[in-house]
Amino acid sequence: MKTRGKIGGGGGLIGGCSSLGSLGLPAVFLLCIFFFFLGFFGSSLFSQQVETESSLHPKPRILSEKGYDPLPQGDSGDDFFTTIPFQILSWKPRALYFPDFATPKQCESIIKMAKVKLAPSTLALRKGETAENTKGIRTSSGMFISSSEDKTGILDLIEKKLEKATMIPRSHGESFNVLRYEIGQRYNSHYDAFNPTEYGPQKSQRIASFLLYLSDVEEGGETMFPFENGENADTNYDFRKCIGLKVKPRKGDGLLFYSLYPNGTIDPTSLHGSCAVVKGQKWVATKWLRNEEEYD
């Protein structure tokens, strides 16, 4: 009994082996070896699986944890950490999604400001184009408003947050273009950057675009990138189609995408458009960011 107690204390498998004495010493020895290796390899596989899952889904680092003391900032910097959550939707084009970039109340206030000044949206025309022969490409209504014109201060707050998210100075941003899309209205695929061979010499160029969705849309109204990752670019693409990477408008969320490569050339995969609204209304505030300070 004393011997069995000591063996049992050393491990359940060995203790179990001692109860098999009736099988004979060789058989007991082989069974003990079998169960030992079975337990060893089983625990190794389990440990490896846990380690793999941990590496694939690492615990997010929280800025408020100890060890994240802010560094000494420059004259124009901040002495605190800023957390603006985002998701990378695509690298071709470079497109990022920002959930809850603005509050519902802020979105409703921007819509209220815009409603009284809406007019049919216009296009920047290429050489040889006219308002008549481009009719139907862009069918929304819109208006322009700068943060300095907004007495509520909401657009000023949005610009400051956007400046931190993009690291592009707010002085390089155009006025907000607030747009409303009703049922059936859309914007066919286009580029926000202006190709000089089509539009003539440019004083500055649009680097990126930020879309702040001001409303939910029951059906349709997605922002789409038909050439995402090089898809559809080698075909006779119909610019009226709603295909490719699609981003569904959600009230308060933002979408940032870059029209230029870092070397300053236009990214062909940044072609984008607005799918037709099927049910409901789409409200969006667009901010175009340039490589030079904003000009009128």
Side-chain angles (χ1 to χ4, degrees):
M1 293 296 292
K2 289 182 179 179
T3 304
R4 179 174 293 182
K6 289 181 180 179
I7 295 175
L13 287 174
I14 298 176
C17 289
S18 66
S19 64
L20 301 176
S22 59
L23 297 178
L25 185 58
V28 171
F29 178 76
L30 290 174
L31 282 173
C32 288
I33 292 295
F34 171 75
F35 283 117
F36 173 78
F37 282 107
L38 181 64
F40 176 77
F41 285 114
S43 62
S44 297
L45 288 173
F46 178 76
S47 175
Q48 185 177 6
Q49 182 181 1
V50 171
E51 184 178 352
T52 302
E53 290 180 354
S54 176
S55 61
L56 289 175
H57 305 286
K59 182 181 178 181
R61 297 168 67 183
I62 302 173
L63 293 181
S64 60
E65 290 180 349
K66 291 182 179 179
Y68 291 91
D69 296 327
L71 296 174
Q73 77 280 6
D75 291 338
S76 60
D78 294 332
D79 60 355
F80 55 87
F81 288 115
T82 299
T83 302
I84 303 176
F86 68 91
Q87 175 191 358
I88 298 175
L89 297 181
S90 172
W91 280 102
K92 298 178 181 180
R94 288 177 293 157
L96 298 90
Y97 165 70
F98 293 84
D100 296 325
F101 196 86
T103 66
K105 188 174 181 180
Q106 289 173 332
C107 294
E108 292 158 10
S109 179
I110 296 172
I111 291 175
K112 185 177 179 180
M113 284 188 288
K115 274 184 176 180
V116 295
K117 296 183 179 180
L118 289 177
S121 299
T122 58
L123 288 172
L125 301 176
R126 299 183 181 92
K127 297 175 182 178
E129 288 183 335
T130 65
E132 186 61 31
N133 63 25
T134 57
K135 190 176 181 180
I137 293 177
R138 190 185 193 190
T139 56
S140 60
S141 298
M143 55 86 71
F144 286 89
I145 183 171
S146 65
S147 58
S148 61
E149 297 173 295
D150 172 23
K151 305 306 179 185
T152 68
I154 292 173
L155 294 181
D156 182 66
L157 292 174
I158 298 296
E159 277 191 348
K160 288 179 179 177
K161 189 172 182 179
L162 182 58
E163 184 179 44
K164 292 180 180 179
T166 63
M167 285 301 293
I168 299 175
R170 60 188 300 189
S171 58
H172 288 232
E174 298 182 33
S175 295
F176 287 92
N177 186 198
V178 184
L179 301 166
R180 181 190 67 188
Y181 292 84
E182 298 184 293
I183 292 176
Q185 294 186 332
R186 66 184 189 277
Y187 193 175
N188 291 349
S189 299
H190 61 283
Y191 290 103
D192 282 350
F194 299 106
N195 190 335
T197 61
E198 297 177 333
Y199 293 93
Q202 300 294 306
K203 184 178 179 180
S204 72
Q205 187 60 280
R206 288 174 175 171
I207 302 174
S209 302
F210 182 79
L211 279 60
L212 176 62
Y213 298 113
L214 304 175
S215 68
D216 295 320
V217 182
E218 292 183 61
E219 187 177 352
E222 301 93 345
T223 304
M224 51 92 175
F225 298 88
F227 291 172
E228 195 262 339
N229 207 33
E231 296 294 326
N232 307 305
D234 297 330
T235 63
N236 188 16
Y237 173 66
D238 185 348
F239 285 75
R240 296 169 296 181
K241 286 183 177 180
C242 180
I243 59 176
L245 172 65
K246 298 180 184 179
V247 182
K248 184 174 178 62
R250 291 177 180 171
K251 189 175 187 177
D253 292 355
L255 172 66
L256 172 70
F257 63 92
Y258 290 84
S259 297
L260 302 185
Y261 287 127
N263 65 5
T265 60
I266 296 175
D267 178 0
T269 64
S270 68
L271 185 82
H272 64 284
S274 180
C275 300
V277 173
V278 177
K279 189 176 182 181
Q281 277 190 352
K282 173 184 177 180
W283 283 88
V284 60
T286 300
K287 167 71 74 169
W288 290 296
L289 304 169
R290 291 182 173 265
N291 58 357
E292 301 285 348
E293 289 196 5
E294 189 271 340
Y295 65 97
D296 296 324

